[in-house]
Amino acid sequence: MNFDPNGIGQKLHRHVSALFPIFRSITGEGMRQTLAYIGESIPLQIRQVPTGTPVLDWEVPQEWTVRGATLRRLNGDVVLDIADTNLHLVHYSHPVDRVVPIEELQAHLHSLPKQPDLVPYRTAYYANSWGFCLAERQRQALTDPAYHVSIDTELAPGVLNYGEMVLPGEGPDEVLFSIHCCHPSLANDNLSSIAIAIELAQRLERRARRRFTYRFLFAPGTIGAITWLHLNREVTARIRHGLVLSCLGDGGPPTYKRSRRENADIDRYVAYQLRAGGHGDRVRPFLPYGYDERQYCSPGFDLPVGCLTRTPNGEYPEYHTSADDLELVRPEALADSLALLCRLVDMIEADYVPLGTCLHGEPQLGRRGLYQAIGGQPIGADPSSRFDQLTLLWVINQADGTHSLLDIAERSGKPFAAVAAAAEALAAAGLLNRADPSPARASDRQAGDR
Amino acid sequence: MNFDPNGIGQKLHRHVSALFPIFRSITGEGMRQTLAYIGESIPLQIRQVPTGTPVLDWEVPQEWTVRGATLRRLNGDVVLDIADTNLHLVHYSHPVDRVVPIEELQAHLHSLPKQPDLVPYRTAYYANSWGFCLAERQRQALTDPAYHVSIDTELAPGVLNYGEMVLPGEGPDEVLFSIHCCHPSLANDNLSSIAIAIELAQRLERRARRRFTYRFLFAPGTIGAITWLHLNREVTARIRHGLVLSCLGDGGPPTYKRSRRENADIDRYVAYQLRAGGHGDRVRPFLPYGYDERQYCSPGFDLPVGCLTRTPNGEYPEYHTSADDLELVRPEALADSLALLCRLVDMIEADYVPLGTCLHGEPQLGRRGLYQAIGGQPIGADPSSRFDQLTLLWVINQADGTHSLLDIAERSGKPFAAVAAAAEALAAAGLLNRADPSPARASDRQAGDR
Amino acid sequence: MNFDPNGIGQKLHRHVSALFPIFRSITGEGMRQTLAYIGESIPLQIRQVPTGTPVLDWEVPQEWTVRGATLRRLNGDVVLDIADTNLHLVHYSHPVDRVVPIEELQAHLHSLPKQPDLVPYRTAYYANSWGFCLAERQRQALTDPAYHVSIDTELAPGVLNYGEMVLPGEGPDEVLFSIHCCHPSLANDNLSSIAIAIELAQRLERRARRRFTYRFLFAPGTIGAITWLHLNREVTARIRHGLVLSCLGDGGPPTYKRSRRENADIDRYVAYQLRAGGHGDRVRPFLPYGYDERQYCSPGFDLPVGCLTRTPNGEYPEYHTSADDLELVRPEALADSLALLCRLVDMIEADYVPLGTCLHGEPQLGRRGLYQAIGGQPIGADPSSRFDQLTLLWVINQADGTHSLLDIAERSGKPFAAVAAAAEALAAAGLLNRADPSPARASDRQAGDR
């Protein structure tokens, strides 16, 4: 999967820009507009689940409709208006339309004293409350004894929406990409990943061959993943590899948080790619806090799902503030993240467990054109070959049906691409087959099936 | 278990002082006096096993009675008298009453040329011999051609005594504390541990709830443990955790020698506590030399029993000499050792393997009052809480019935107390049960049952 | 196994000198002469396998006979003659007798531009080709337009020979020493190992007791090992330990390449000996390139066979050139390699898995004369003993039928010899038996039997 990094970075940024103004929350019109936008580029199935549906330990919440919200002085001057930034309203605020004394109002205001110019992003999904978010400087200017709070929202039975795209592969085993898309005008978290997922899905659609089935899930955070898991328990047993994508557009280096298993294949694939890109130090242990990997890695599921970001949540100063905007997200960072994901997909597709046809003694490579004709000299790299002689010997030696190509690359210290090319040459010579009928190893399958 | 460290240190030292003058050996009246003293404070069962009883590979020895022992010049001047220090007589010396030429006498004298003022402690339990221990300076003064040796002892059929106290718990699994009490006037080795065990046992008696049964064994070294093991094979299968206590009163830092298993729970508990106290470097691998852990950790038993000391045997210059006296043992060190043991007991009682009731997806903590109401901000420590939000999430994530609270503390890096408090909160909310009906994990039980 | 290092070094060097002039290849008269020479010292069985016999994935090649080979100027002046050095002819060159233009000739010449005075060693066993090897300086002097190539060889149905010597032991389990002997006048690679193997075999013949059966295989590289493996599959299941011997005469330190298993007993034995000799840094991971360990460690066999050299193949500048001569190989290095192998054999013979007869509690050592009579003093080393008290306790503690003497040495940090001596003392006292009826551990047997 190759592409023009300049052009694609701009294209990704245009997706982010197009989605930025929409007032998204975990339910409601903004979420539907967002899914509709995604559906313009890829064949997205949009699901809806009614309010009150029990999902795992939770329940699908009421749908939240926002028609407007302002904070005004009693003379009518507008202090805050969500028309300016939709971050001003605490999500799931219930309707209010009354004069509120300043003392009472203060308990409903959220600001960041250490970042006095930024508006924070806050939610109160299950709190039956209301509130405004504003810059600390705006808050300091609120010196009137009372203000008029006007929150024109509605909490009522409705639906929860999410979007799903499934690209069938040769086998039933699946690769899951999960992207939360409930945040309002926050560009890096997580419009960056929505944009990248759109383009990654398009590339996978066009891919000549897919061993795995690919599933993209665009859903509200937490409740969306929980709803999907509730409705798709049988699918989870087929998930061989998975990634939660988030914060993929800022200028920081890529960062990977391993799955709960810590050494699932996906953990090793991403670690390999980060090492290869000089970011081996950006691999982190599992932590049961973060994004929807919390749900996928809950002990009952324990799926091989890690989380790929650039700068992780909470570690950049603009996180969950009005500064997570279209400036923070950079075209080149978006393109770099997409390229990393494309390399990962290539690796996932390329890896398998080889089984040699000639396990007793080395096969005679010379008569198959796989060995230098003149002996006695050191084996060396043939610059015209995609792999050297030693890589070939490593694959032959390890192809006993218990080691994947990645295992072989790691033991030998040879590049995965060279190992894969050597395996291809051996397979072409009839010296190698695939040990695993399906793409995944038995050990992983068992783990996933529990 | 709280206590006044000053008061308790003095009290512990008074126990040591009271026991110091008694002429103890592995059998005889001194041992009985010692056990009687202990029995004044705790309900001790005093056992007696007749001479000649086969115990494992050994046999209960004859009882040794000491009525007096002197070394005198031929003019009657007393050179050595065990009335001065009971260390002067080699233990299990047989009776002698005759004039001994100096050359012959020298072969029966034990002194420390490098510590010329100290009297060493020596034994000859199974050697059918006699001897005196004395300071090197005293020895240098022995210039007469002969001396009168008068050893008024008796070796005759009798009994071996030991004392045992069992505090029943909710379950049959046991915690063993084993204390050797055969040494004569040596304060640190091992009156310090007798004193501490008395007070620890009293605290455990008063404890509101005991999941484990606690067994305290006060017995002569080696032969006592061997006798007890011989008579209590069925009990050994129930021992989940055990500690040999010794040398717990000197000014050195606490030191732990792991069990033969090296990673038994008791090894991890003590290592945790030493780390928490800044003594993580004082944990040592198993060594088949030392105290009665040699017997408990013999391969046929292989019990999870480690050895807790301050400065270990042989590593302080006063060890097994007359300088191991009431000055060497410090009240504050005794109190510190007791406090460490109390924390260990708390941990042993608190640890268990939790099993979540909601393993698929995270449980909805908000509706149970366990989650912050306003989302979007970083999770942080609530100073009013005994655990932070992340600790709660770790416990939920790991409570799959295969990890103990200590496992969770170690994986998460969170304090054990916080993990235990979070588990308590989850249990109160109905989100957690105990996976193990009995206090111990199945894996340990199997290991112990072999 | 003791010997005079000076005398034996000279003797080993004489073997090398005697074998040096013979024109060896993988088949033919030179190989037979070499085997005959070995057979003068040890009772060697010489096998022959006909051309065309299928062996694993290969086939026994035609036999190659060399009667002479020269490169001459058209005026008859001799430029190259294998009478000068048998390295001049590329092995398995087919017959040629014609004038060859210099352009064509160049494609058949092999030299080393960076080592302009050395003649390289090259082979073309399966290439149906011909060629000469010469010094770069000789090559530069070839300025005539054409030369007369006269290669008087024959490729015809015949046999492949190898030599085998089996010294029966008490049990059926085997130790394999495999030595390739197809190289022509190359002293270190591998006449050094042939010489050492002759002497090692003689010592093993004279050894009073052999628990293991020892098998020495002198065979052409690659095809010899493949042929032997093909014909001896049932033997491979009995190989408990094996070493490929090569390059054992140069001045470099001993070097060991581990078997594919990486932690087979042989890997640990050699690592122990190299550590003991101050060469712990000379142990290397398995690599599927090198000598016949490539065949023994192919996945279908996966035998516990490592490779012992001094400077490994390809790492000394004289490797596979005319400089690998009688000067490169040093008597003292040959003697040192033999001594190392003798120590290894001693260790292989000495190691076993002990099982104590008294596993519950320590046995009473005192009444068996194995413990110091006077207690209370630190246990120390008795200079008159081959082991100290602590070593004895370690053996007792670990002799539960799951640890070998080497395991005990490694866990305790005590010398293997001391551990073995302590085990011997315990066995003499009736406190220890051999847990394994045959020399090998069950775990290894299983691995070897697959």
Side-chain angles (χ1 to χ4, degrees), chain C residues 72-95:
Chain C
R72 282 172 293 164
R73 302 183 65 182
L74 298 191
N75 68 3
D77 289 353
V78 172
V79 177
L80 301 174
D81 188 335
I82 63 167
D84 297 330
T85 169
N86 58 39
L87 296 182
H88 276 322
L89 185 61
V90 170
H91 281 222
Y92 269 63
S93 286
H94 57 56

Side-chain angles (χ1 to χ4, degrees), chain B residues 68-82 84 88-89 96 98-102 105-106 108-109 130-134 138-139 142 146-151:
Chain B
T70 56
L71 181 72
R72 280 172 294 163
R73 302 183 65 185
L74 299 191
N75 70 3
D77 288 355
V78 172
V79 178
L80 300 175
D81 188 336
I82 61 166
D84 296 331
H88 276 323
L89 186 61
V96 180
R98 61 180 171 92
V99 171
V100 177
I102 183 70
L105 180 63
Q106 285 293 355
H108 291 268
L109 298 183
W130 63 269
F132 285 106
C133 299
L134 70 173
Q138 293 178 300
R139 188 175 192 165
L142 298 181
Y147 289 84
H148 191 153
V149 170
S150 171
I151 299 177

